[in-house]
């Protein structure tokens, strides 16, 4: 199937958090000194999980239309306060500048070991771009630090809506001047791919079984017959003839 | 002044048509076989000029609010019909697919000889992006073909308005999380720089005295005390400490 697909597809767009970068390890690393300084008795990885748990409900406010579009940096900052309060921290006593600085942890996420080289190979033949809920500056900072060779930064902030709203997938195809099937979403999350497929996009699953740490129980394998299923970005590039 | 400026500025955004790429020579080259095939007795460069003359009035319809935002590919396609009609062509007899193909001439513009290397140097220290009226796909196609190493594709389509509307400059700074002065517009056009400066952006002028051919009479030199004035992108990079 990838043989035909590499003829149909013109651009690959990527989920980023979990698919391209390892957010959990990196947020934990960035948060550890902060947690120690404030005497918060929580494992850094558990703190990263707590912060991330606020992500979907915060975006749901925007997706539902109850709240106008605000970029993810703003939601992350609000979610940080919520996560800290949930751990019993007296957030009002923490200087705002310290919270602002910690919020930039999301701008310093490392890629999985195979991400960069796989993207470099795919870029030779396809347009490649993030299709992330992360905002443009956040994506730029990650890419510059990690050397990710995106052709453009697409996603939530360009469309002003959050995945899995259909508009994010469909408007991205339209911006690229492509029919939905000519655009392939690459993601480590079956739910993201299902939403993209419902819009007519092509789909590629790359397993990231440690995204949520050693005890991960979700998204360990493809749950539908995605157009491509690959173990890493190297195999993904190979399947697309790169 | 560039010494201080390289401390203040965090991102450089670039006018593209004329500043980064040589649109006139390339559109003429792309149009020449079409003009010959249809027996249109016009120099290819004069045809490029005629097509380009429709550019500002077409965008004015959007900037004024009389027309909702449409991307530049759409305006270029309409302007092509107008330019051909103005030359006396019987446009209705030309297959639409031929016009569509010629419209992509704007996606195949070559950079000036110094553009790519200058951008590569600036990218080491700054965020670099187009701030063009060209749409995202158009900018991506030019960049991939020419090897322009943009960190993101910003500009009219992201903001859904056309330069020199203030929103294009100000919202681009906001997307990048920057104060206006931290963003520097690089352009070969004094008018673009004046609009950017009115919004508080930093400004850099690079002369492109052959943009309009050997008889060019406008934008031959800086008309205000722009923060940087450079002869080419090499000098621009040097002035920014790259």
């Amino acid at each position: 199937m990838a043989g035909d697909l590499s003829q149909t597809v013109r651009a690959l767009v990527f989920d980023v958090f979990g698919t391209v970068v390892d957010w959990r390890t990196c947020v934990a690393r960035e948060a550890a000194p902060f947690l120690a300084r404030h005497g918060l008795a929580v494992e850094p990885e558990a703190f990263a999980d707590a912060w991330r748990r606020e992500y979907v409900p915060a975006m749901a406010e925007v997706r539902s239309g109850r709240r106008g579009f605000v970029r993810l940096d703003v939601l992350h900052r609000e979610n940080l306060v919520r996560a800290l309060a949930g751990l019993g921290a007296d957030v009002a006593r923490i200087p705002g500048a310290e919270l602002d600085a910690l919020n930039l942890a999301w701008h310093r996420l490392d890629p999985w070991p195979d991400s960069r080289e796989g993207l470099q190979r795919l870029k030779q033949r396809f347009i490649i771009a993030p299709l992330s809920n992360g905002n443009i500056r956040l994506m730029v900072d990650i890419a510059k630090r990690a050397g990710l060779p995106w052709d453009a930064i697409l996603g939530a902030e360009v469309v002003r809506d959050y995945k899995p709203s259909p508009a994010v997938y469909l408007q991205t195809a339209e911006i690229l001047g492509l029919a939905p099937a000519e655009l392939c979403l690459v993601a480590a999350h079956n739910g993201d791919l299902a939403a993209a497929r419902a819009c007519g996009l092509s789909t590629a699953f790359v397993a990231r079984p440690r995204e949520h740490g050693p005890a991960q129980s979700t998204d360990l394998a493809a749950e539908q017959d995605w157009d491509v299923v690959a173990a890493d970005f190297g195999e993904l590039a190979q399947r697309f003839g790169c």
Side-chain angles (χ1 to χ4, degrees), chain A:
Chain A
M1 179 168 286
D4 297 330
L5 202 66
S6 69
Q7 300 303 314
T8 307
V9 168
R10 304 288 302 277
L12 284 86
V13 287
F14 292 76
D15 174 66
V16 172
F17 299 122
T19 302
V20 178
V21 301
D22 175 7
W23 61 267
R24 186 174 185 264
T25 305
C26 298
V27 168
R29 174 195 70 206
E30 298 277 331
F34 173 93
L35 298 170
R37 196 162 59 241
H38 292 282
L40 293 165
V42 56
E43 287 298 315
E45 288 76 13
F47 173 74
D49 290 339
W51 195 355
R52 183 70 169 181
R53 268 195 297 274
E54 305 292 337
Y55 173 71
V56 168
M59 291 187 299
E61 289 298 298
V62 173
R63 292 183 52 230
S64 68
R66 287 188 295 270
R67 182 177 188 182
F69 183 80
V70 288
R71 67 184 57 123
L72 190 61
D73 275 341
V74 174
L75 298 180
H76 272 158
R77 180 66 167 75
E78 297 171 358
N79 294 347
L80 172 58
V81 170
R82 255 186 222 111
L84 287 167
L87 294 166
D90 185 357
V91 183
R93 295 185 56 180
I94 302 175
E98 264 195 73
L99 300 175
D100 292 343
L102 180 54
N103 201 44
L104 292 176
W106 295 92
H107 293 229
R108 290 187 292 265
L109 305 181
D110 295 327
W112 299 108
D114 52 279
S115 295
R116 181 179 166 174
E117 193 201 322
L119 291 175
Q120 285 170 333
R121 286 166 60 188
L122 288 161
K123 182 187 172 91
Q124 304 310 310
R125 186 160 166 188
F126 299 96
I127 295 172
I128 60 166
L131 184 66
S132 168
N133 283 331
N135 49 290
I136 292 172
R137 176 63 190 268
L138 195 171
M139 288 293 124
V140 166
D141 284 349
I142 288 176
K144 280 186 89 75
R145 187 172 168 280
L148 305 179
W150 303 124
D151 290 310
I153 305 291
L154 302 174
E157 190 173 8
V158 176
V159 175
R160 302 186 70 77
D161 198 353
Y162 283 107
K163 291 189 296 181
S165 290
V168 183
Y169 308 100
L170 292 172
Q171 286 187 34
T172 298
E174 208 244 332
I175 283 168
L176 291 174
L178 299 177
E182 296 176 315
L183 184 63
C184 182
L185 177 69
V186 180
H189 309 124
N190 287 282
D192 199 358
L193 294 173
R197 175 174 272 185
C199 293
L201 271 67
S202 297
T203 52
F205 178 82
V206 178
R208 296 300 192 188
R210 302 281 288 200
E211 174 187 357
H212 296 282
Q216 181 166 329
S217 61
T218 56
D219 287 318
L220 294 173
E223 292 166 11
Q224 290 189 39
D225 61 333
W226 308 122
D227 298 309
V228 172
V229 176
D232 58 28
F233 277 28
E235 188 183 348
L236 179 73
Q238 188 187 4
R239 294 290 299 278
F240 275 98
C242 297

